[in-house]
């Protein structure tokens, strides 16, 4: 809530740290909104880029309701956490994996989807 127009610091920052990879060197502009969670690129056998999702509501899987879902482009492992104002808790794997995920979506009924660069769009459901 209230993040519209917020400056999250890219490309000066990556997570909580200065961005120091290819094409780095942008100074921290100050006044940036800090993330509630960050992780290493070595996580899950090779992570590279977080793909953000949604806080799952009533139309989504019951097991994920109230949890923010996200994935990583390189690992494809879908994870969830409980968002709080300045931090996150309960970060865990969902048991789902998508090859080369690119984005999440939500329909008018609150059902949640994840799209793959390889073409398919998957709807998240409880088993």
């Amino acid at each position: 809530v209230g993040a519209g127009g917020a400056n999250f610091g890219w490309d000066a920052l990556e997570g909580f740290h200065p961005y120091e990879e290819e094409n780095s060197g942008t100074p921290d502009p100050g006044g940036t909104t800090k993330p509630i969670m960050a992780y290493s690129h070595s996580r899950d056998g090779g992570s590279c880029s977080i793909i953000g999702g949604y806080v799952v509501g009533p139309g989504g899987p019951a097991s994920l309701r109230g949890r923010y879902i996200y994935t990583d482009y390189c690992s494809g492992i879908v994870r969830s956490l409980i968002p709080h104002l300045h931090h996150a808790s309960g970060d865990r794997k969902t048991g789902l994996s998508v090859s080369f995920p690119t984005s999440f979506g939500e329909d008018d009924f609150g059902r949640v989807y994840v799209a793959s660069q390889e073409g398919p769009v998957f709807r998240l459901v409880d088993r």
Side-chain angles (χ1 to χ4, degrees):
V1 176
N7 181 346
F8 294 102
W10 183 253
D11 68 343
L13 303 169
E14 185 171 67
F16 299 104
H17 306 286
Y19 179 62
E20 296 176 344
E21 301 295 324
E22 184 178 345
N23 300 320
S24 63
T26 302
D28 181 348
T32 56
T33 299
K34 303 303 183 227
I36 61 169
M37 195 271 303
Y39 65 82
S40 167
H41 285 196
S42 63
R43 182 181 204 174
D44 292 332
S47 298
C48 66
S49 178
I50 291 177
I51 308 297
Y54 293 88
V55 173
V56 177
S63 63
L64 295 173
R65 288 187 191 145
R67 300 183 67 84
Y68 179 79
I69 55 167
Y70 69 98
T71 186
D72 186 278
Y73 179 78
C74 291
S75 74
I77 295 171
V78 179
R79 302 183 67 93
S80 73
L81 56 80
I82 301 169
H84 304 283
L85 187 57
H86 297 292
H87 70 283
S89 65
D91 182 42
R92 67 181 187 213
K93 294 179 183 180
T94 63
L96 307 170
S97 184
V98 174
S99 295
F100 303 107
T102 56
S103 65
F104 286 89
E106 188 176 48
D107 67 18
D108 290 342
F109 300 103
R111 294 177 295 209
V112 181
Y113 302 84
V114 60
S116 167
Q117 185 174 349
E118 293 182 338
V121 175
F122 302 94
R123 189 174 85 176
L124 279 61
V125 297
D126 279 321
R127 289 186 172 206

